Amino acid sequence: YPIEQLAVNCDFLETCYLLLNGELPNAQEKSEFDSLVMRHNMVHEQLHFFLRGFRRDAHPMAVLTGLVGALSAFYHDSTDVSNPHHRHVSAIRLIAKMPTLVAMAHKYTKGQPYMYPQNDLSYTGNFLRMMFATPCEDYKVNDVVERALDRILILHADHEQNASTSTVRLCGSSGTNPFAAIAAGVACLWGPSHGGANEAALNMLEHLQANGGVAKVGEFMEQVKDKNSSVRLMGFGHRVYKNYDPRAKLMQETTKEVLMALGLENDPLFKLAMELERIALEDQYFVDRKLYPNVDFYSGIVQRAIGIPTSLFTAIFALARTVGWIAQWNEMLSDPDYKIGRPRQLYVGSSRRDVPKMDAR
Ligand code: CMC
């Protein structure tokens, strides 16, 4: 299905169902799947104490890597990875608990109480509430924001053999605990060339805005193109998309919708991003190298407008990508020919030699 159609016609949980089952759900299947996921969204109460071991200023991805890995110490009844039912239970648990863990990491940083999930809300509405509500007053989910965040989740749900997915497959190929395999994916996603790009892109825009804004775009672009500078235009370029990242187009539209709905249509960072995109698309350096905006160029602006702190962007990506990781892990383990992964290595060092005694080295 074209991603444009999924993003417009389906919600995130339908996309999850599709990735896990290969087919979109009908109305009854959707309702059963939604309620199954929503009934697994609480985490073991002991995890609250585990979280308290972290420094409050720890990066959310460090916390999330730890929390997801720690799930393997709490759910022992579904870890036989050769059993399809156990794999299904693990998949549902992971999809259901990720929003709770990300919101807990956020609340912990802020020093606010954790909000327990509320099951009469949608998956994304519940996540927003766990993120932004406090026990002191009612919280009303904003429809436009809910839809925008849901769309961000759909756009990030899966993407063939990217670095984190390959990591999950390789890690999972040893037959390790499902939560441990997904924690490896979270760790890999953190890097700025992968999931960390949305955080890096927004930091780049904020830095540029603070240092002259649109007037300094030309100078900044010269640095980006300078081979000796190591500055990259974050949120641009993709290993696979060499024409345009279809997700970026949808993200740009979503950004406009959210900014309008929140009365932020004159957001200077959005204007700056549009200007950078305009200049880059006309610049020979970018044209020659087929560099276009990727999904992360605009997603940071939407998330910032919603009130999500920059340091949490990659954690939201991890939340969304969990279904892709787990679907690929499941596909690998259900293959009767599956074997432990072992990438080949081309050795280019010395030929065989004897170990000399210490005083002869
Ligand atoms: N800004 C400036 N120059 C760039 C950029 C960029 N963002 N991306 C690539 N180039 C240049 C690079 O210097 C090289 O030039 P030359 O041929 O003169 O040496 C050429 O384009 C090819 O680059 P590459 O690094 O070989 O391309 P790649 O396919 O290995 O890298 C990439 C893909 C996404 C890692 C890279 O484009 C990049 O670092 N982009 C910025 C980070 C980013 O936005 N990452 C998010 C990717 S989408 C979300 C996800 O899937 O995680």
Side-chain angles (χ1 to χ4, degrees), residues 314-327:
T314 315
I316 308 253
F317 190 161
L319 186 175
R321 184 55 57 88
T322 293
V323 64
W325 290 329
I326 200 88

Side-chain angles (χ1 to χ4, degrees), residues 41-240:
N41 54 18
M42 280 200 297
V43 294
H44 195 292
E45 199 65 13
Q46 195 67 17
L47 265 166
H48 294 183
F49 299 103
F50 179 82
L51 177 53
R52 282 190 201 161
F54 287 98
R55 281 173 58 136
R56 297 246 178 206
D57 61 355
H59 193 284
M61 286 302 279
V63 173
L64 199 61
T65 309
L67 286 179
V68 175
L71 290 178
S72 54
F74 288 92
Y75 300 98
H76 299 145
D77 58 347
S78 59
T79 53
D80 175 3
V81 296
S82 64
N83 180 328
H85 178 65
H86 281 208
R87 293 201 300 270
H88 180 66
V89 173
S90 299
I92 298 298
R93 281 192 171 135
L94 274 156
I95 294 165
K97 295 184 198 306
M98 278 301 264
T100 313
L101 295 181
V102 173
M104 277 167 61
H106 173 60
K107 289 292 192 188
Y108 184 69
T109 306
K110 292 200 69 139
Q112 288 184 0
Y114 309 128
M115 296 296 293
Y116 284 92
Q118 191 172 307
N119 289 358
D120 59 352
L121 295 173
S122 72
Y123 182 86
T124 304
N126 173 54
F127 175 59
L128 283 166
R129 184 178 167 279
M130 288 191 294
M131 284 283 294
F132 299 120
T134 66
C136 315
E137 51 190 54
D138 288 341
Y139 177 83
K140 169 101 180 67
V141 178
N142 177 315
D143 292 347
V144 177
V145 167
E146 181 183 13
R147 184 66 207 140
L149 190 57
D150 201 69
R151 186 173 286 181
I152 290 179
L153 301 185
I154 294 172
L155 296 182
H156 286 87
D158 190 31
H159 208 206
E160 47 156 272
Q161 290 313 301
N162 54 84
S164 57
T165 302
S166 308
T167 301
V168 169
R169 277 189 177 250
L170 191 55
C171 183
S173 78
S174 70
T176 190
N177 180 286
F179 302 106
I182 300 302
V186 177
C188 177
L189 188 76
W190 189 0
S193 295
H194 192 5
N198 49 18
E199 178 176 346
L202 197 84
N203 286 338
M204 173 193 77
L205 289 173
E206 282 179 337
H207 179 76
L208 191 53
Q209 183 64 20
N211 290 283
V214 175
K216 291 283 180 185
V217 165
E219 210 175 287
F220 175 70
M221 285 306 223
E222 289 313 311
Q223 282 179 31
V224 166
K225 293 189 282 180
D226 179 358
K227 282 276 149 218
N228 302 316
S229 82
S230 82
V231 176
R232 285 203 162 192
L233 184 54
M234 299 312 284
F236 256 71
H238 199 274
R239 177 62 64 81
V240 177

